[in-house]
C-alpha cells in the first residue's frame, strides 16, 4: 500500500466511492447517513476553520466527545493541517482532563457539549479556543468559545488555497496523534503515534487477518478515544470504503445490531461475556428437549471447529470437509445457529476481540454457534495491534500470530518485546519514560507471554498484575477473573492477595440481571444493597463462583468473596475508560471490606457496606 498519510488513505476511498455511505448514526430515533464525498467536504471546511483560528503544523487539538460524526471529521481535519489530535475520554474527571490538556500543550479543544465544557479550567491550560459541538442555549460565538457550526461557517468564508498541498506533503513519520494511556496504576503518558504507525498496522491486518471489504458494515460502539476503536473501527473500514454505523450506547447494542445488520464488529471481551451469560441463562431455563438440541448443536459446532483447525490451508480454501459433518452442521445451523445469529443482525461474518483477554470457553462457544471471534492483542504504544488470529487459522486460547511486518520475541522473564513500523515514536515530553519503555530498540510491553510451536502467542497477564502470596506461590489473576465474569450475576471482578496467605475475590454485580432475578422471585426491593442480603441470592452467587473457580489450583482459588452492591465504572474511578479494572482504586474504595475479609481486627468493629461470604464452606455465612 503506497500511501504516505491517513488523509491519502481516506481520499482513495472518497474517489472510489463518492456516493456510498461512509457513516450511519442515530438522530431523532432514525439513522442518518453521510457519503464519502460529503465527509471529505466537511473535513475540508473544518480544517479551513481551524486554520483561520491559527492551527498550524504540529499544533495540538483535543477532541473530548463520545462517538459521533463530528469525531472523525475533526480527527481528519486536524491531521490534514499537519496538526496533532489529542483524544480525551469524556468520562474522565475534570482534574484528569485538565492534566492531559496541559501536558499535551493543546491550543484548541473540540468539546461535545456544555457539560464537558464545565470540566475544563482554561486557566490551567494553554487553550485559546473551545469549539462546542452541541452548544445548547449558547450563541454560536462567545469570546474564545464558538460552536462547531460556526467553525464550519468560518471555514466556508475563508477557504485555504494550500490545504490540499499541506496534507499531501505529510509523510509517514509525521506524528498524527498523542493518545494517553489509561493509567491503571499511575499517571497517564502520551504516546506519540504517527501516520505511518496506523497505516502499517492496517497493512499488516489486511495482509494477515481479515480482509475488510467495501461492502462491509462495521458497528462501532467502543470509544474512539481508545486506540483499538480508532484503528479497527475508523481507519481500517474507511481505508477500504466500508460503512461505519455508530451504536447509540452499550445499552442499545441489541437494538442497533438488528437495525444496522453489521458484517464486522469490534468489541472488548465484556460484551461477549454478557451475551454468553444471557444465552446460557435462556437455555437453562428452557425445556429439557430444547436444552438437549442446543447441547447437541454445540458439540457439532465444536467438532466443526476442530475439523477446521486440523485441515490444511488448501482444504480450507477449497472448502473440503466430510459430507457427514457437513450434513450435521447444516441441520444444527437450521435448528439453533440461525436463530441466535438473527438476534445479532444475521450478517456477522467476524467479531474482533481486543483490549483484554477473552475467556477460551466463551471463544469456543461463539465459534461453535458459527459466530467466529478473532482475538487479538496490542497496546496504545503499538497503534495498537501486535498479534491477531488469522481467518484461515484461528487458535482459541491464543491472541494469534504477530503481524507479518512486526518482530516479536519473549524476554528472559517471558515479557513480550516488539519492534516494527507500528511502534510509537515515544512519550510526549517524557524522555525518561520513553527510555524505560525500550531495550535495545525493542518496546517492552509489560505483558508476560508464551509462544507455542506454531508461533501462536498467548498472553499470561500483565507483569505488574501477578500476585505473589506470602507462601511464595505466584497467582495469575486474569484467568480466574475471566472465569468468574462468565457468571450471569457478575459484571466485573478483581482477585487480590499480594503478600497475603491466600487470595480473595471482589465482584461488582450485574444490576440488570439482578433486577430480572428479583422480578422472577416476586421481590420488590428498593435497592441492590437490600437484594444482595437475600440468602437465596447469596447461595446462587456463591454456587456459580465456586463452579467457575473449581478448575484452578487450590492456591489460586479465592477463599472469600466480597460482594459490592455498587456498579464499578469509569465515572466512579474503578474502571479505566477502556473498561479495565483499576486495582489501586478498587483496593482503596473497599479497603475496610478487604481487611475484614482477611480478619484484620482493627477494622472489624467498623461498619462496612459490602457482603463478605466464605467460598470454601458448604453453607455460606454472611459476615456483614
Amino acid at each position: 500500500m503506497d500511501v504516505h498519510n491517513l488523509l491519502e488513505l481516506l481520499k482513495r476511498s472518497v474517489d472510489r466511492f463518492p456516493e456510498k455511505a461512509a457513516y450511519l448514526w442515530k438522530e431523532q430515533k432514525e439513522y442518518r447517513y453521510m457519503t464519502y464525498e460529503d465527509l471529505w467536504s466537511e473535513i475540508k471546511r473544518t480544517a479551513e476553520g481551524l486554520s483561520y483560528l491559527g492551527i498550524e503544523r504540529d499544533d495540538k487539538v483535543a477532541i473530548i466527545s463520545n462517538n459521533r460524526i463530528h469525531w472523525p471529521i475533526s480527527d481528519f481535519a486536524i491531521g490534514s493541517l499537519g496538526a496533532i489530535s489529542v483524544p480525551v475520554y469524556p468520562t474522565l474527571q475534570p482534574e484528569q482532563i485538565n492534566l492531559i490538556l496541559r501536558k499535551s500543550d493543546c491550543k484548541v479543544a473540540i468539546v461535545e457539549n456544555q457539560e464537558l465544557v464545565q470540566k475544563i479550567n482554561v486557566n490551567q491550560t494553554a487553550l485559546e479556543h473551545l469549539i462546542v459541538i452541541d452548544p445548547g442555549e449558547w450563541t454560536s460565538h462567545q469570546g474564545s468559545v464558538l460552536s462547531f457550526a460556526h467553525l464550519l461557517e468560518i471555514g466556508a468564508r475563508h477557504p485555504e488555497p494550500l490545504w490540499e498541498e499541506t496534507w499531501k506533503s505529510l509523510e509517514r513519520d509525521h506524528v498524527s496523534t498523542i493518545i494517553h494511556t489509561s493509567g491503571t496504576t499511575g499517571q497517564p503518558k502520551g504516546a506519540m503515534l504517527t501516520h505511518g504507525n496506523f497505516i502499517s498496522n492496517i497493512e499488516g491486518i489486511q495482509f494477515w487477518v481479515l480482509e475488510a471489504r467495501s461492502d462491509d458494515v462495521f458497528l462501532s460502539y467502543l470509544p474512539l478515544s481508545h486506540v483499538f476503536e480508532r484503528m479497527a473501527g475508523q481507519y481500517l473500514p474507511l481505508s477500504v470504503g466500508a460503512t461505519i454505523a455508530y451504536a447509540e450506547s452499550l445499552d442499545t447494542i441489541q437494538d442497533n445490531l438488528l437495525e444496522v445488520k453489521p458484517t464486522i464488529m469490534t468489541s472488548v471481551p465484556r460484551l461477549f461475556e454478557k451475551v454468553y451469560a444471557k444465552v446460557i441463562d435462556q437455555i437453562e431455563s428452557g425445556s429439557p428437549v430444547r436444552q438437549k438440541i442446543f447441547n447437541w448443536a454445540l458439540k457439532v459446532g465444536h467438532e466443526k471447529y476442530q475439523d477446521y483447525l486440523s485441515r490444511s490451508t488448501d482444504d480450507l480454501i477449497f472448502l473440503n470437509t466430510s459430507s457427514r459433518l457437513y450434513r450435521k452442521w447444516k441441520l444444527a445451523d437450521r435448528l439453533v445457529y440461525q436463530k441466535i445469529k438473527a438476534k445479532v443482525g444475521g450478517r456477522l461474518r467476524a467479531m474482533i476481540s481486543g483490549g483484554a483477554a477473552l475467556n477460551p470457553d466463551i471463544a469456543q462457544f461463539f465459534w461453535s454457534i458459527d459466530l467466529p471471534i478473532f482475538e487479538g492483542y496490542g497496546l496504545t504504544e503499538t497503534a495498537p495491534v501486535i498479534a491477531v488470529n488469522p481467518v484461515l487459522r484461528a487458535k482459541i486460547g491464543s491472541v494469534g500470530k504477530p503481524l507479518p511486518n512486526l518482530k516479536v520475541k519473549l524476554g528472559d522473564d517471558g515479557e513480550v518485546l516488539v519492534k516494527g513500523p507500528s511502534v510509537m515514536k515515544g512519550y510526549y515530553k517524557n524522555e525518561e519514560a520513553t527510555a524505560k519503555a525500550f531495550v535495545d530498540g525493542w518496546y517492552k510491553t509489560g505483558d508476560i507471554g508464551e509462544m507455542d510451536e506454531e508461533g501462536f502467542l498467548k498472553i499470561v497477564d500483565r507483569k505488574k498484575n501477578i500476585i505473589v502470596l506470602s507462601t511464595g506461590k505466584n497467582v495469575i489473576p486474569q484467568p480466574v477473573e475471566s472465569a468468574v465474569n462468565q457468571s450471569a450475576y457478575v459484571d466485573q471482578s478483581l482477585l487480590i492477595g499480594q503478600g497475603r496467605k491466600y487470595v480473595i475475590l471482589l465482584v461488582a454485580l450485574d444490576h440488570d440481571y439482578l433486577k430480572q432475578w428479583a422480578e422472577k422471585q416476586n421481590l420488590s426491593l428498593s435497592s441492590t444493597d437490600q437484594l444482595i442480603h437475600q440468602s437465596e441470592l447469596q447461595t446462587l452467587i456463591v454456587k456459580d463462583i465456586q463452579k467457575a473457580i473449581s478448575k484452578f489450583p487450590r492456591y489460586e482459588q479465592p477463599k472469600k468473596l466480597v460482594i459490592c452492591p455498587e456498579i464499578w465504572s469509569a465515572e466512579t474511578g474503578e474502571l479505566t475508560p477502556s473498561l479495565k479494572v483499576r486495582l489501586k482504586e478498587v483496593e482503596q474504595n473497599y479497603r475496610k471490606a478487604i481487611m475484614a475479609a482477611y480478619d484484620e481486627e482493627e477494622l472489624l468493629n467498623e461498619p462496612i457496606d459490602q457482603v463478605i461470604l466464605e467460598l470454601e464452606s458448604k453453607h455460606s455465612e454472611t459476615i456483614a
Side-chain angles (χ1 to χ4, degrees):
M1 187 187 296
D2 185 21
V3 176
H4 297 88
N5 59 64
L6 292 167
L7 274 298
E8 185 180 348
L9 196 76
L10 172 61
K11 188 60 164 64
R12 289 189 174 195
S13 292
V14 172
D15 292 341
R16 290 177 64 201
F17 311 104
E19 300 302 319
K20 188 175 183 297
Y23 278 97
L24 301 172
W25 70 94
K26 205 77 169 287
E27 197 170 293
Q28 296 180 342
K29 298 184 179 181
E30 291 186 1
Y31 268 99
R32 299 184 60 186
Y33 74 93
M34 180 176 287
T35 66
Y36 272 90
E37 188 173 52
D38 289 340
L39 174 65
W40 188 255
S41 176
E42 292 290 290
I43 290 169
K44 182 176 185 295
R45 288 177 61 196
T46 303
E48 289 171 331
L50 290 171
S51 177
Y52 183 80
L53 294 181
I55 295 301
E56 300 175 341
R57 189 182 182 97
D58 293 329
D59 283 341
K60 319 302 185 302
V61 179
I63 305 175
I64 313 174
S65 172
N66 292 293
N67 293 9
R68 54 188 301 160
I69 189 62
H70 303 81
W71 216 109
I73 289 172
S74 300
D75 186 25
F76 281 102
I78 295 163
S80 71
L81 298 173
I84 299 168
S85 63
V86 181
V88 182
Y89 290 102
T91 55
L92 292 178
Q93 296 300 312
E95 59 271 16
Q96 295 171 299
I97 291 176
N98 287 291
L99 174 65
I100 291 173
L101 293 174
R102 184 169 63 253
K103 287 179 65 176
S104 53
D105 302 317
C106 288
K107 290 179 63 176
V108 170
I110 299 173
V111 186
E112 184 171 12
N113 51 37
Q114 293 184 47
E115 181 181 352
L116 287 172
V117 169
Q118 300 306 313
K119 289 187 175 185
I120 298 172
N121 186 333
V122 176
N123 295 329
Q124 293 181 5
T125 71
L127 290 174
E128 298 173 4
H129 296 280
L130 289 175
I131 300 166
V132 189
I133 297 170
D134 288 331
E137 298 178 356
W138 288 7
T139 60
S140 63
H141 191 183
Q142 293 183 356
S144 61
V145 181
L146 63 153
S147 70
F148 198 94
H150 188 61
L151 178 72
L152 293 176
E153 292 173 6
I154 293 173
R157 292 198 307 267
H158 301 279
E160 173 52 62
L162 299 179
W163 179 70
E164 187 168 336
E165 182 180 321
T166 299
W167 69 256
K168 283 184 176 180
S169 69
L170 299 172
E171 296 296 334
R172 286 197 176 201
D173 64 350
H174 188 78
V175 175
S176 163
T177 189
I178 298 174
I179 302 180
H180 288 77
T181 57
S182 296
T184 55
T185 57
Q187 290 290 341
K189 300 184 290 289
M192 296 184 290
L193 298 175
T194 67
H195 288 260
N197 288 153
F198 287 114
I199 293 170
S200 63
N201 218 229
I202 292 170
E203 290 169 338
I205 291 169
Q206 283 287 76
F207 174 86
W208 177 239
V209 192
L210 176 75
E211 183 184 12
R213 307 189 301 250
S214 60
D215 59 347
D216 276 321
V217 176
F218 285 67
L219 182 64
S220 172
Y221 85 93
L222 297 176
L224 283 165
S225 299
H226 191 275
V227 68
F228 177 42
E229 188 65 18
R230 181 93 165 275
M231 193 284 298
Q234 176 171 295
Y235 295 144
L236 175 62
L238 291 178
S239 73
V240 298
T243 298
I244 301 167
Y246 285 142
E248 296 169 87
S249 69
L250 182 58
D251 295 332
T252 63
I253 285 288
Q254 180 66 53
D255 293 335
N256 298 150
L257 282 165
L258 295 175
E259 294 166 331
V260 172
K261 301 184 187 306
T263 58
I264 296 176
M265 180 178 179
T266 57
S267 181
V268 291
R270 192 66 198 110
L271 178 64
F272 299 129
E273 291 167 354
K274 291 174 80 70
V275 172
Y276 169 83
K278 185 175 181 179
V279 172
I280 293 300
D281 181 61
Q282 290 176 346
I283 295 301
E284 289 180 347
S285 62
S287 68
V289 173
R290 186 184 179 194
Q291 291 181 34
K292 188 173 182 179
I293 293 173
F294 181 80
N295 290 332
W296 170 81
L298 276 186
K299 289 180 180 178
V300 173
H302 181 70
E303 185 180 349
K304 181 175 181 288
Y305 171 76
Q306 292 299 324
D307 180 74
Y308 150 87
L309 202 61
S310 66
R311 288 190 175 273
S312 67
T313 304
D314 286 346
D315 281 345
L316 295 171
I317 290 173
F318 293 107
L319 303 177
N320 293 330
T321 189
S322 71
S323 57
R324 174 180 166 275
L325 175 57
Y326 181 74
R327 287 194 301 271
K328 285 200 302 181
W329 183 87
K330 289 294 289 183
L331 177 60
D333 183 53
R334 181 161 52 86
L335 293 175
V336 177
Y337 310 151
Q338 288 183 18
K339 295 176 182 178
I340 298 176
K341 289 186 288 186
K343 294 181 179 180
V344 291
R347 295 200 305 167
L348 276 173
R349 66 185 181 92
M351 299 184 291
I352 314 299
S353 179
L358 177 67
N359 188 301
D361 292 339
I362 292 178
Q364 180 64 72
F365 170 80
F366 279 98
W367 272 91
S368 295
I369 61 172
D370 198 35
L371 283 172
I373 296 179
F374 299 93
E375 187 177 5
Y377 161 70
L379 300 162
T380 299
E381 292 86 347
T382 56
V385 182
I386 293 172
V388 67
N389 275 283
V391 172
L392 289 181
R393 184 70 73 231
K395 183 178 287 189
I396 291 172
S398 80
V399 293
K401 291 185 176 182
L403 297 185
N405 55 1
L406 289 177
K407 294 181 180 179
V408 174
K409 69 177 182 178
L410 301 181
D412 294 338
D413 59 355
E415 183 176 8
V416 179
L417 307 175
V418 61
K419 179 187 291 187
S422 58
V423 178
M424 68 169 182
K425 270 194 168 184
Y427 296 114
Y428 183 65
K429 287 189 173 181
N430 197 335
E431 294 181 3
E432 181 181 355
T434 301
K436 288 181 179 179
F438 291 86
V439 55
D440 298 329
W442 293 83
Y443 175 70
K444 300 187 294 182
T445 65
D447 293 308
I448 300 296
E450 298 172 352
M451 195 86 74
D452 70 13
E453 66 281 355
E454 294 181 295
F456 283 82
L457 180 65
K458 177 182 179 181
I459 301 300
V460 176
D461 209 333
R462 295 289 291 172
K463 285 175 66 174
K464 62 190 177 186
N465 287 351
I466 295 175
I467 298 169
V468 182
L469 300 176
S470 60
T471 60
K473 294 283 190 180
N474 286 1
V475 178
I476 300 170
Q478 183 275 318
V480 179
E481 294 165 355
S482 183
V484 169
N485 287 346
Q486 288 187 52
S487 170
Y489 302 98
V490 176
D491 185 56
Q492 298 280 357
S493 64
L494 179 67
L495 196 70
I496 65 172
Q498 180 67 31
R500 314 271 192 168
K501 288 184 179 181
Y502 54 86
V503 290
I504 66 171
L505 182 72
L506 282 73
V507 297
L509 300 179
D510 187 318
H511 285 212
D512 290 337
Y513 189 81
L514 290 185
K515 182 180 179 181
Q516 294 172 19
W517 181 86
E519 289 174 352
K520 289 178 182 178
Q521 307 302 314
N522 294 318
L523 296 174
S524 56
L525 299 176
S526 60
S527 69
T528 304
D529 185 54
Q530 286 183 319
L531 188 59
I532 64 173
H533 285 83
Q534 295 289 312
S535 59
E536 184 181 354
L537 177 62
Q538 291 177 2
T539 300
L540 291 173
I541 293 173
V542 168
K543 183 179 177 182
D544 239 24
I545 291 177
Q546 284 176 331
K547 180 181 178 181
I549 65 177
S550 62
K551 61 184 178 182
F552 296 99
R554 293 285 292 175
Y555 67 89
E556 292 185 351
Q557 296 180 25
K559 303 298 183 289
K560 293 183 181 179
L561 170 67
V562 178
I563 301 179
C564 309
E566 302 87 355
I567 296 173
W568 297 352
S569 68
E571 288 80 2
T572 56
E574 290 96 351
L575 302 182
T576 69
S578 56
L579 305 183
K580 297 184 181 73
V581 178
R582 293 184 189 271
L583 174 63
K584 287 185 177 180
E585 280 73 8
V586 172
E587 285 189 326
Q588 179 60 37
N589 291 348
Y590 298 97
R591 178 171 170 268
K592 290 190 290 186
I594 292 168
M595 296 186 77
Y598 280 111
D599 298 324
E600 297 183 353
E601 295 180 1
E602 61 267 31
L603 281 177
L604 280 179
N605 294 324
E606 294 187 24
I608 57 176
D609 299 325
Q610 294 72 43
V611 168
I612 304 171
L613 303 172
E614 299 284 347
L615 278 174
E616 289 193 311
S617 61
K618 293 183 180 178
H619 303 287
S620 300
E621 177 186 356
T622 302
I623 298 178

